[in-house]
Amino acid sequence: MERTRFILDENEMPTSWYNIQADLPKPLPPALHPATGKPVTPDDLKPIFPMELIKQEVSRERWIEIPEEVQEVYKLWRPTPLFRAHRLEKALDTPAKIFYKYEGMSPPGSHKPNTAVAQAYYNKKEGIKRITTETGAGQWGSALSFAGACFGIEIKVYMVRASYDQKPYRRVMMETWGGKCVPSPSPDTKVGRAILEKDPNCPGSLGIAISEAIEDCMTCDDTHYALGSVLNHVLLHQTVIGQEAKKQMEMADAYPDIIIGCVGGGSNFAGMFLPFVKDKIEGKKPDLRIINVEPASCPTLTKGPYVYDFGDSAGLTPLLKMYTLGHDFIPPPVHAGGLRYHGMAPIICHLYNLGLVEAQSVHQLAAFEAGVKFARTEGIISAPEPNHAIKVLIDEALKCKESGEKKTILLAHSGHGHVDMAAYDAYLSGKLTDYAYPEQGIKEALRNLPRL
Amino acid sequence: MERTRFILDENEMPTSWYNIQADLPKPLPPALHPATGKPVTPDDLKPIFPMELIKQEVSRERWIEIPEEVQEVYKLWRPTPLFRAHRLEKALDTPAKIFYKYEGMSPPGSHKPNTAVAQAYYNKKEGIKRITTETGAGQWGSALSFAGACFGIEIKVYMVRASYDQKPYRRVMMETWGGKCVPSPSPDTKVGRAILEKDPNCPGSLGIAISEAIEDCMTCDDTHYALGSVLNHVLLHQTVIGQEAKKQMEMADAYPDIIIGCVGGGSNFAGMFLPFVKDKIEGKKPDLRIINVEPASCPTLTKGPYVYDFGDSAGLTPLLKMYTLGHDFIPPPVHAGGLRYHGMAPIICHLYNLGLVEAQSVHQLAAFEAGVKFARTEGIISAPEPNHAIKVLIDEALKCKESGEKKTILLAHSGHGHVDMAAYDAYLSGKLTDYAYPEQGIKEALRNLPRL
């Protein structure tokens, strides 16, 4: 029998994170202070992040040691398995070899705790007692609540009200781990109260939730703020995924020709491909294709300009050089909430700009069609986000069938869809729709780009 | 760093199921035909089960080979991990060594596919095109739908209407794997139509759902029926759990003093303990304690008599010698739907009667309190069923703290609670209640025991 799962022992788990900034052919454009237009300093960030994370954000060290306390928690679900998709290959009748690295076995069900645990640890070490954050669909809020439980830190999550009402399961997960979750806008902050006064039924937005979380952090003692994607230190923590996958591909005596993953802020997919892109930069695997998959209704890399923009909708963060649809662009309400982000991790944008990685966009219906095929062959019911990547995976496997090429394809699978079954229900009952390209919304948002 | 996870490679997965019937000190009382009072024959069961399963039901062979096609599917999630609960031990400040074997990483999230896949395979091999079944909360229906997708068999699930309406996520899971799920009573069967005519809003019951599934199976060509617990062949398939756990405990250089698990029909826990009870029977580990944990509101082993009773509420199955609360006893609506069964697997009952295993009952509130402690230390949010076992696990660990004994405790953890978050919400918001011992209901149901 051919092998299906490639499993590493826990003593083979990476002990350092890989920092791509050591190996970039050109350095990353710095984050800028919106008032001065000059690169942000550690002092600018000190009120909201612990110093260790601020250092990681700009470090050029190639390897950054994973603290033993963080490794101890990782061991609850890491190393994660790499699967050979025999059953999907057979169903597609493709000569391609398909592998997928699955992050859905973590307690919150996604890759998010890889960074949540690290962030909670560094905050704890600096004496922080409380962390505030925002969450959209709830993946990040639940991962941080889990991490808070691990280190005895209080977590306060501002959850976009529309999601808070529609997805009560994610809120209950946060509470089960001891996190506190309120619908945003909330009466707990000035920003929230002002909005509620005007519109008591305001459904909220990620922008408002970020503003509330930052205000809370700035006005409370011993409190910091945490972000679940986009920033360099977040991508750094996620590189455990790609490092493990590399070892596991070696066990399978294989190396990918194509790596595919979905991108919202980009942290899961970057965590997978950064250790591989190193080989491409060094000329060891020059023809390696790395495909970022985004939703057609939020096509940041495929349609946005490469400019400085705010990381959040409200304009409170430093300016980041990104492909962006404009910081106040509100994407259509696709079920893949984790992919509804106007910008993209600066590291991914830089690599895309240098031509080292590619991008494609996928419509919602095609993504779910692919997800159902995956569930019926490989068993796993995937979150709406990775379904987008599975669609491109299937496309590439079918191209191999046509050409007869035996390519090796590696998928970064970010997590399960157990709390997204309402989306599958909509798809299976024919109620799911695609959205037209939001041309007007993007045009308007791009008019509001910050001027430097 | 001490080890947290003990993982087997897929080539260490068991290749045979262990059949306790080869090693019982006294043979199991046979199932009886209700009309004749005589042991049922293979011919009696032929219309509803494939011959291979009927043979397994009465086999005395110690080892029964797992077909390669079944092993291939098992490899999507097996071998499952064994964890050392370092974080829980620390939180309890106990000298006990706590281990848990976790079945929540299967696609449907529980132990159920261990038998669903085997049953689907044997039916397929016999040319069966369609399988009917009933489901309460939906774990079994979704496991069988997944298994149907693996072998291309149509699955029809009659789901108790109350659950169908309250737990739509489980239904959508079944449909995602291609299963067909209808609320029971349904207009698809004579039984269902007759009930709906009297009461169009009937909330249904497991008894009605079984009747519908069996009628459907009896009246359709190429159709069989499948059961997810209780029967000998179901427990047999689950022994992959205990066989793996034994090897993993060896890796940890440990052997349990106490094994704990929850029991509804009993298949998950028996799957764990049967390979260990063999050692007890053979005198290798005479003081091994095996604790079956049941809900206080459905206390089959701890309060029921050991008599012949029907396996289903409607009285359609053969008579099984069981501890039972009476086949028409309707347990209070505790959230642990999988533990709401009037009887118990005959194999467990026989071992309990012989004094080889023990039983305890636990109230719902205490179970959730234990489950939340487990989530905040070990990360995993457990289903309501294993929370009952976790409560007894914590009790035993705290006894060790008092006495200073360094006992080794092994928990059979049957699955995650990702689709049970409504129950956690009720607990965390103080709305969950305990139920009084249903004395009157049990008294009445015991009056209706079949007369032989």
Side-chain angles (χ1 to χ4, degrees):
Chain A
M1 281 189 269
E2 273 201 277
R3 290 193 63 132
T4 297
R5 278 204 300 182
F6 300 86
I7 289 179
L8 297 171
D9 205 77
E10 64 183 29
N11 61 26
E12 296 170 287
M13 193 168 74
T15 54
S16 297
W17 292 301
Y18 167 63
N19 182 9
I20 187 72
Q21 293 193 69
D23 292 311
L24 287 172
K26 274 170 65 178
L28 205 59
L32 302 181
H33 196 292
T36 64
K38 286 189 184 150
V40 289
T41 65
D43 274 353
D44 293 333
L45 299 172
K46 226 176 135 183
I48 58 169
F49 293 129
M51 197 42 74
E52 287 289 336
L53 293 179
I54 296 170
K55 279 192 217 155
Q56 290 177 4
E57 192 62 21
V58 293
S59 168
R60 302 259 176 112
E61 292 286 321
R62 182 169 292 115
W63 298 103
I64 295 174
E65 211 175 307
I66 306 175
E68 208 165 279
E69 293 87 341
V70 173
Q71 290 186 49
E72 284 291 353
V73 180
Y74 277 178
K75 288 198 284 182
L76 293 176
W77 75 97
R78 303 210 73 83
T80 59
L82 177 85
F83 290 89
R84 170 83 185 270
H86 290 297
R87 303 179 69 85
L88 178 61
E89 289 172 19
K90 210 175 152 193
L92 298 174
D93 188 24
T94 174
K97 283 186 183 179
I98 302 174
F99 294 87
Y100 56 100
K101 173 81 168 163
Y102 184 50
E103 292 295 305
M105 283 165 184
S106 73
S110 79
H111 62 291
K112 293 282 185 193
N114 295 333
T115 185
V117 169
Q119 293 191 46
Y121 167 76
Y122 288 119
N123 275 294
K124 177 76 176 182
K125 212 178 141 195
E126 216 173 76
I128 290 297
K129 300 212 167 76
R130 194 167 164 274
I131 303 176
T132 64
T133 199
E134 72 289 334
T135 202
Q139 278 283 8
W140 170 243
S142 51
L144 195 66
S145 297
F146 160 67
C150 294
F151 294 106
I153 296 185
E154 203 184 318
I155 304 294
K156 171 82 172 274
V157 182
Y158 293 86
M159 185 172 187
V160 176
R161 189 192 203 109
S163 298
Y164 184 94
D165 291 339
Q166 281 161 23
K167 306 196 176 191
Y169 275 24
R170 276 281 163 205
R171 166 185 60 78
V172 184
M173 279 183 143
M174 296 179 220
E175 291 170 350
T176 301
W177 282 308
K180 201 175 166 200
C181 175
V182 294
S184 165
S186 80
D188 300 6
T189 65
K190 260 193 200 172
V191 173
R193 284 190 296 271
I195 294 166
L196 287 174
E197 208 162 290
K198 276 190 220 156
D199 177 7
N201 298 315
C202 172
S205 74
L206 213 47
I208 296 169
I210 295 178
S211 306
E212 289 205 280
I214 293 183
E215 180 192 320
D216 182 334
C217 152
M218 300 295 281
T219 52
C220 289
D221 288 342
D222 302 325
T223 299
H224 270 165
Y225 166 77
L227 222 140
S229 191
V230 180
L231 298 182
N232 303 339
H233 69 266
V234 179
L235 273 59
L236 174 81
H237 301 153
Q238 296 292 356
T239 60
V240 288
I241 300 172
Q243 292 183 66
E244 288 176 9
K246 254 186 142 171
K247 281 193 197 175
Q248 289 163 310
M249 291 297 282
E250 269 171 40
M251 285 170 72
D253 203 19
Y255 192 98
D257 298 302
I258 309 174
I259 310 180
I260 301 171
C262 62
V263 285
S267 70
N268 170 63
F269 190 43
M272 166 62 95
F273 77 64
L274 288 174
F276 288 94
V277 88
K278 181 174 188 288
D279 294 348
K280 188 169 178 173
I281 292 171
E282 289 171 355
K284 283 184 199 157
K285 180 76 181 179
D287 56 347
L288 171 63
R289 292 181 60 200
I290 295 167
I291 309 177
N292 294 272
V293 184
E294 51 189 20
S297 54
C298 189
T300 315
L301 291 169
T302 50
K303 301 271 191 180
Y306 187 39
V307 293
Y308 270 101
D309 196 5
F310 292 108
D312 67 314
S313 316
L316 295 173
T317 71
L319 295 169
L320 305 170
K321 183 93 182 263
M322 303 190 288
Y323 289 84
T324 178
L325 302 172
H327 61 277
D328 55 8
F329 169 63
I330 296 174
V334 288
H335 282 278
L339 306 184
R340 293 179 68 235
Y341 183 62
H342 69 276
M344 185 61 62
I347 286 176
I348 292 185
C349 295
H350 186 59
L351 293 169
Y352 184 61
N353 185 248
L354 294 173
L356 286 160
V357 302
E358 319 169 21
Q360 285 184 31
S361 74
V362 163
H363 278 285
Q364 173 158 271
L365 276 171
F368 273 88
E369 189 190 355
V372 168
K373 186 175 268 302
F374 193 82
R376 291 185 184 173
T377 50
E378 294 298 314
I380 292 168
I381 296 181
S382 311
E385 292 83 358
N387 281 348
H388 287 72
I390 291 168
K391 158 68 177 148
V392 175
L393 168 78
I394 291 175
D395 287 348
E396 292 294 332
L398 291 177
K399 278 185 212 162
C400 286
K401 183 183 174 184
E402 232 166 82
S403 67
E405 286 175 292
K406 290 183 184 172
K407 286 194 180 160
T408 298
I409 311 176
L410 171 60
L411 173 81
H413 193 306
S414 57
H416 66 64
H418 301 166
V419 285
D420 299 291
M421 295 315 299
Y424 279 88
D425 198 17
Y427 171 71
L428 292 166
S429 58
K431 286 176 197 146
L432 201 74
T433 53
D434 279 336
Y435 293 94
Y437 173 58
E439 197 172 357
Q440 197 52 35
I442 293 172
K443 223 182 231 171
E444 277 167 32
L446 288 178
R447 266 191 224 120
N448 295 333
L449 284 177
R451 255 145 258 209
L452 285 175
Chain B
M1 279 189 272
E2 272 201 278
R3 290 193 64 133
T4 297
R5 277 205 301 182
F6 299 86
I7 290 179
L8 297 171
D9 204 77
E10 63 184 27
N11 61 26
E12 295 170 285
M13 193 168 73
T15 53
S16 297
W17 291 302
Y18 168 63
N19 183 9
I20 186 73
Q21 293 194 70
D23 293 310
L24 287 173
K26 273 171 63 177
L28 206 59
L32 302 181
H33 196 293
T36 64
K38 287 191 185 148
V40 289
T41 65
D43 274 352
D44 293 334
L45 299 171
K46 227 176 134 183
I48 58 169
F49 293 130
M51 198 41 74
E52 287 289 336
L53 293 179
I54 296 171
K55 279 193 218 156
Q56 289 177 5
E57 192 61 20
V58 293
S59 168
R60 301 258 176 113
E61 291 286 320
R62 183 169 291 115
W63 298 103
I64 294 175
E65 211 176 305
I66 306 176
E68 208 165 279
E69 293 86 343
V70 173
Q71 289 186 48
E72 284 292 354
V73 180
Y74 277 178
K75 289 198 285 182
L76 293 175
W77 75 97
R78 304 210 73 83
T80 59
L82 177 87
F83 291 89
R84 169 83 185 268
H86 289 298
R87 305 180 68 85
L88 178 62
E89 289 172 19
K90 212 176 151 190
L92 297 174
D93 189 24
T94 175
K97 283 186 183 177
I98 302 174
F99 294 87
Y100 56 101
K101 173 82 169 163
Y102 183 49
E103 292 294 305
M105 283 165 183
S106 73
S110 79
H111 62 290
K112 292 282 186 193
N114 295 333
T115 185
V117 169
Q119 292 191 45
Y121 167 76
Y122 288 118
N123 276 292
K124 177 77 176 182
K125 213 178 141 197
E126 215 173 77
I128 290 298
K129 302 213 167 77
R130 193 166 164 273
I131 303 176
T132 64
T133 199
E134 71 289 333
T135 202
Q139 279 282 9
W140 170 243
S142 50
L144 195 65
S145 297
F146 159 67
C150 294
F151 293 106
I153 296 185
E154 204 184 317
I155 304 294
K156 171 82 172 275
V157 182
Y158 292 87
M159 185 172 186
V160 175
R161 191 195 200 108
S163 298
Y164 183 94
D165 291 339
Q166 281 161 23
K167 306 196 175 188
Y169 277 22
R170 276 280 162 204
R171 168 186 57 82
V172 184
M173 279 183 145
M174 296 179 222
E175 291 171 350
T176 300
W177 281 309
K180 199 172 169 203
C181 175
V182 294
S184 165
S186 79
D188 299 7
T189 64
K190 261 192 199 173
V191 173
R193 284 190 296 272
I195 295 168
L196 286 174
E197 207 163 287
K198 276 191 221 157
D199 177 7
N201 298 317
C202 173
S205 75
L206 213 46
I208 296 170
I210 296 178
S211 307
E212 289 205 280
I214 293 183
E215 179 191 322
D216 182 334
C217 152
M218 300 295 281
T219 53
C220 289
D221 287 342
D222 302 326
T223 299
H224 269 165
Y225 165 78
L227 221 140
S229 191
V230 180
L231 298 183
N232 303 340
H233 69 267
V234 178
L235 273 60
L236 173 81
H237 301 153
Q238 295 293 354
T239 59
V240 288
I241 300 171
Q243 290 183 66
E244 288 176 10
K246 254 186 142 172
K247 281 193 196 175
Q248 289 164 312
M249 291 298 283
E250 270 172 40
M251 286 171 71
D253 204 16
Y255 192 98
D257 298 302
I258 309 174
I259 310 180
I260 301 170
C262 62
V263 286
S267 71
N268 170 64
F269 190 42
M272 166 63 96
F273 77 65
L274 288 175
F276 289 93
V277 89
K278 181 174 188 289
D279 295 348
K280 190 168 177 174
I281 292 170
E282 290 170 354
K284 284 184 198 157
K285 180 76 181 178
D287 55 347
L288 170 63
R289 292 182 60 201
I290 295 168
I291 309 177
N292 294 273
V293 185
E294 52 189 18
S297 55
C298 188
T300 315
L301 290 169
T302 50
K303 301 271 190 180
Y306 187 39
V307 293
Y308 271 100
D309 196 5
F310 292 108
D312 67 313
S313 316
L316 295 173
T317 70
L319 295 169
L320 305 170
K321 182 96 184 261
M322 304 189 288
Y323 289 85
T324 178
L325 302 172
H327 61 276
D328 56 7
F329 169 62
I330 296 174
V334 289
H335 282 278
L339 306 184
R340 293 179 69 234
Y341 183 62
H342 68 276
M344 184 62 63
I347 286 176
I348 293 185
C349 294
H350 186 59
L351 293 169
Y352 184 61
N353 185 248
L354 294 173
L356 286 160
V357 303
E358 321 170 21
Q360 285 185 31
S361 73
V362 163
H363 277 285
Q364 173 159 270
L365 276 170
F368 273 88
E369 188 190 354
V372 168
K373 186 175 268 304
F374 193 81
R376 291 184 186 174
T377 50
E378 294 297 314
I380 292 168
I381 296 180
S382 312
E385 291 83 359
N387 282 347
H388 287 71
I390 292 169
K391 157 68 177 150
V392 174
L393 168 78
I394 291 175
D395 287 349
E396 291 294 332
L398 291 176
K399 277 185 212 163
C400 287
K401 183 183 175 185
E402 233 166 81
S403 67
E405 285 174 293
K406 290 185 183 170
K407 287 196 178 156
T408 297
I409 310 176
L410 171 60
L411 173 81
H413 193 306
S414 58
H416 66 64
H418 301 167
V419 285
D420 299 292
M421 296 313 299
Y424 279 87
D425 198 18
Y427 171 73
L428 291 167
S429 59
K431 285 177 199 147
L432 200 73
T433 53
D434 279 337
Y435 293 94
Y437 172 58
E439 197 172 355
Q440 196 53 34
I442 293 172
K443 224 183 234 171
E444 278 167 33
L446 288 178
R447 266 190 227 121
N448 296 331
L449 284 177
R451 252 147 259 206
L452 284 176

